[in-house]
Amino acid sequence: MEPLLGVKIGCLFALLAVTLGCGLIPICSKWFQIEAATGRHRRVLSLLGCASAGVFLGAGFMHMTVEALEGIESEIQKFTVQNRTENEKNSSSTASAAQMEYPYGELTISLGFFFVFLLESLALQCCPGASGQSTVQEEEWGGAHGLGFHSHARGPAPSRGPLRTLVLLLSLSFHSVFEGLAVGLQLTVAATVQLCLAVLAHKGLVAFGVGLRLVQIGTESRWAMFSILSLALMSPLGLSLGLAVVGGDSEGGQGLVQALLEGVAAGTFLYVTFLEILPQELADPEAPLVKWGCVAAGFAFMALIALWA
């Protein structure tokens, strides 16, 4: 048990260091400040943003969504097995089969999507300035197309950056806690190292993408650093919780609660990816095929990592 504990403590510090280091690179380097960039430098940063959008897309579909669906399905199967053992009537078994056929996982992810949609709508209804847009921007985008859903004018797409970036950080934080928890609950050194390496492989890319996103929306350096530090602490926190309950099965509905939270986090992550990150990166019509290639490359890398995750 001592070697296993030592490996898990090493994984804890590795998760903290990799997330913190990769997330702080775009924040601490002036090269990533897109406002001051011109010409080729600006184009490179734009393509890098597209690649990070692909990473977010891959993280949402190939990691967060998959893990949420698997967790919810597993917990529902446990629930139906318990029901069958308690009551073996034909009517109850038919109801259990009907329960299994319903897409509870997809429903949970959708609820996460609509929950953030509702929060954002409420924020905009109660406080119009929460969108992070200036009055001039709102006039430019609101004029001919009242709701601002479509426009052929030049310039970036309307962004609600600060609010959606906060949602992005919260959903990633939830996911990071559960990733760390999974590492902490492993019972062998080999399984712990394998899972930790899989987490580290995509953790660094996602943290870099978050740091780049914070820089692109103009977040102050101290708040950007605080955000990355908070995100970096989530996986070690989950790993510590896993160490505290190592060997314990999900009891009293804890496993179901964890799976549901994973589903909600996946839904919120997909909301931000599709409504904030991708539209912002693809708003400029310059080199659309190259941008597509960068988004596809980021997604493909995350899909490749999913083979071992």
Side-chain angles (χ1 to χ4, degrees), residues 72-215:
I72 293 171
E73 183 180 353
S74 174
E75 292 301 321
I76 291 176
Q77 285 178 347
K78 289 179 185 178
F79 179 75
T80 52
V81 167
Q82 288 175 356
N83 276 359
R84 284 176 183 174
T85 55
E86 290 173 2
N87 191 349
E88 296 181 358
K89 293 180 179 179
N90 291 333
S91 58
S92 67
S93 63
T94 304
S96 297
Q99 263 187 338
M100 282 300 297
E101 290 176 2
Y102 192 82
Y104 289 103
E106 290 80 355
L107 175 64
T108 305
I109 294 172
S110 301
L111 288 176
F113 185 97
F114 280 101
F115 177 68
V116 182
F117 192 6
L118 175 62
L119 285 182
E120 187 173 275
S121 300
L122 287 173
L124 292 172
Q125 181 72 28
C126 301
C127 183
S131 65
Q133 288 181 244
S134 66
T135 306
V136 176
Q137 285 177 308
E138 289 175 357
E139 289 176 357
E140 288 176 355
W141 285 93
H145 305 272
L147 294 176
F149 288 144
H150 182 70
S151 174
H152 295 287
R154 293 185 179 180
S159 172
R160 293 162 188 168
L163 183 60
R164 287 178 178 169
T165 302
L166 176 62
V167 171
L168 173 69
L169 287 168
L170 289 175
S171 61
L172 280 175
S173 296
F174 270 118
H175 183 64
S176 297
V177 170
F178 297 136
E179 281 182 333
L181 184 63
V183 174
L185 289 174
Q186 298 305 306
L187 300 177
T188 65
V189 171
T192 301
V193 172
Q194 183 179 6
L195 183 58
C196 183
L197 289 176
V199 172
L200 286 172
H202 75 270
K203 195 74 176 173
L205 280 174
V206 171
F208 181 86
V210 171
L212 185 63
R213 183 71 196 151
L214 290 170
V215 170

Side-chain angles (χ1 to χ4, degrees), residues 279-301:
Q280 280 289 104
E281 300 301 339
L282 302 177
D284 190 347
E286 184 180 1
L289 284 178
V290 178
K291 289 185 175 182
W292 177 90
C294 290
V295 174
F299 180 89
F301 191 82

